[in-house]
Amino acid sequence: MEENNALPMSSIEPFNEQHSDAELAQHLVAYEGCLQQLQPDSQGKVASRQWIRVLRGRDRIQKLLNDSPQAADDLLEKLLQLDTALQQQIILVCQPDQLTQLRQTLRPPESHWWWYLEPQEKISQSKSLARRFDWFWNVCTVVCLVIATSFITQTAKAFSTEGFDFLGTLSTISQGAGLAFVAGGALTDKGKRAVANVLSSLKIPAALHAEATFAASLVLLMATFGVNQNLHLVGNWYFDQAQRHEEQGEFSQAFKAYERALNFSPDDYRTQIAIGFLHERLGNFEQAIEEYRKGTAFGIPQFLNAQARAILMGALQENDWQ
């Protein structure tokens, strides 16, 4: 008979756990050694390769924990101590842009929190004067975004009344994209990290990120206000387009262009008179009279004269021009 040399399962499982604990202990020792080697040079900087060794060493430990979650309590306690030391080291000696650059290059998962620690400058462990007023800049950012949203809404309404064309789509998308970027950076954690990466790539210190975000929101507010206050220029452009369509006999497109012009310049009596005159030109005197009647609210004599002319022409039309 052949001997059965297979070990019972009850003896294999403790062996696997002991093997995992031994491997975890080795990685903890290596992790601790990397932390101890984080010493700044004469300029107060730590080489990026040293941080990579530490953070990747922590990655390997996490992989072991995921594979073998039943680690010994003393090993987990040791890991907690080393993680605390890691956070303290980052606060003391890590340059503000080092982790940001490493994240942009290596793209670690967000669950690996050690890659997303926010370093502070070495000058003080307490918040600097600039950081103490971050709440104020954040409030100002939100106020700017709310006002900018109202301007964007008014502008989009003017473009959308007759349906979006290329100009309206381009204007709405560009303003909306700016609003989404700044609002995301001010109101969501993921957006804040994205904005922080952009600002860090522009060499803006982390202590000034709140101020920079407010400045971006202020620029967005000024841009949306400028567009909103100059909508009459867009109305003039559509009025010129309508005139060209009318000269070329494209009356349907001329009507549409005149209506778009009114959406942007509702107080421009030229457009109202032009619409009525085009109805007269096409023999639609009833519609012309209605358009002129709308314009009498402007208190301009031209509307009364045009209305009287349309009434007269309409009566002649009904009488077969006799």
Side-chain angles (χ1 to χ4, degrees), residues 230-247:
N230 289 281
L231 288 179
H232 65 279
L233 299 179
V234 182
N236 293 340
W237 184 82
Y238 279 116
F239 181 85
D240 293 338
Q241 292 292 314
Q243 294 276 285
R244 281 193 286 271
H245 287 309
E246 187 174 349
E247 291 174 358

Side-chain angles (χ1 to χ4, degrees), residues 130 158 161 190 200 297:
T161 301
K190 187 175 181 180
S200 297

Side-chain angles (χ1 to χ4, degrees), residues 7 15 67 101-102 146 174 189 198 205 219-220 229 279 319:
L7 295 176
F15 174 79
D67 295 339
Q101 293 176 350
L102 290 176
V146 171
S174 59
D189 292 337
V198 173
V219 170
L220 177 65
Q229 293 300 305
H279 279 300
N319 199 35

Side-chain angles (χ1 to χ4, degrees), residues 128-138 140-141 199 204-218:
S128 64
L129 181 62
R131 296 298 293 270
R132 292 176 185 174
F133 291 95
D134 282 358
W135 64 271
F136 173 76
W137 299 115
N138 291 335
C140 292
T141 298
L199 296 177
I204 298 177
L208 298 178
H209 282 187
E211 290 86 337
T213 304
F214 166 68
S217 67
L218 187 60

Side-chain angles (χ1 to χ4, degrees), residues 155 158-159 231-232 234-236 238 259-266:
T155 302
F159 276 109
L231 288 179
H232 65 279
V234 182
N236 293 340
Y238 279 116
E259 292 296 336
R260 286 188 182 276
L262 278 179
N263 293 331
F264 295 100
S265 302

Side-chain angles (χ1 to χ4, degrees), residues 43-252:
Q43 298 180 350
K45 296 183 179 181
V46 176
S48 297
R49 64 177 179 276
Q50 296 183 9
W51 282 112
I52 293 175
R53 289 178 59 191
V54 171
L55 299 176
R56 282 191 164 175
R58 185 60 178 83
D59 289 343
R60 288 188 284 271
I61 292 174
Q62 189 63 41
K63 185 177 184 304
L64 286 175
L65 292 176
N66 294 338
D67 295 339
S68 302
Q70 301 299 326
D73 293 343
D74 57 336
L75 295 178
L76 295 178
E77 182 180 3
K78 181 65 174 179
L79 176 60
L80 178 60
Q81 296 174 356
L82 295 177
D83 283 345
T84 302
L86 171 62
Q87 296 176 9
Q88 294 174 350
Q89 288 286 78
I90 286 182
I91 291 175
L92 291 175
V93 300
C94 184
Q95 297 298 314
D97 58 343
Q98 281 184 321
L99 282 180
T100 301
Q101 293 176 350
L102 290 176
R103 286 196 295 264
Q104 292 175 347
T105 302
L106 301 177
R107 300 185 181 278
E110 294 186 6
S111 59
H112 288 191
W113 55 264
W114 46 93
W115 287 94
Y116 297 93
L117 294 172
E118 292 298 331
Q120 300 177 5
E121 295 184 2
K122 187 179 178 181
I123 56 175
S124 175
Q125 294 186 24
S126 61
K127 287 186 176 181
S128 64
L129 181 62
R131 296 298 293 270
R132 292 176 185 174
F133 291 95
D134 282 358
W135 64 271
F136 173 76
W137 299 115
N138 291 335
V139 170
C140 292
T141 298
V142 172
V143 172
C144 289
L145 292 177
V146 171
I147 300 175
T149 301
S150 66
F151 286 134
I152 292 175
T153 302
Q154 295 174 15
T155 302
K157 182 179 179 180
F159 276 109
S160 64
T161 301
E162 300 299 325
F164 283 104
D165 58 0
F166 175 77
L167 182 60
T169 303
L170 179 62
S171 174
T172 304
I173 290 178
S174 59
Q175 294 182 82
L179 177 64
F181 178 76
V182 179
L187 304 177
T188 65
D189 292 337
K190 187 175 181 180
K192 288 179 180 178
R193 288 196 294 268
V195 172
N197 291 337
V198 173
L199 296 177
S200 297
S201 65
L202 297 175
K203 305 301 181 182
I204 298 177
L208 298 178
H209 282 187
E211 290 86 337
T213 304
F214 166 68
S217 67
L218 187 60
V219 170
L220 177 65
L221 173 59
M222 295 173 62
T224 55
F225 175 77
V227 172
N228 183 265
Q229 293 300 305
N230 289 281
L231 288 179
H232 65 279
L233 299 179
V234 182
N236 293 340
W237 184 82
Y238 279 116
F239 181 85
D240 293 338
Q241 292 292 314
Q243 294 276 285
R244 281 193 286 271
H245 287 309
E246 187 174 349
E247 291 174 358
Q248 296 173 6
E250 300 169 347
F251 301 123
S252 176

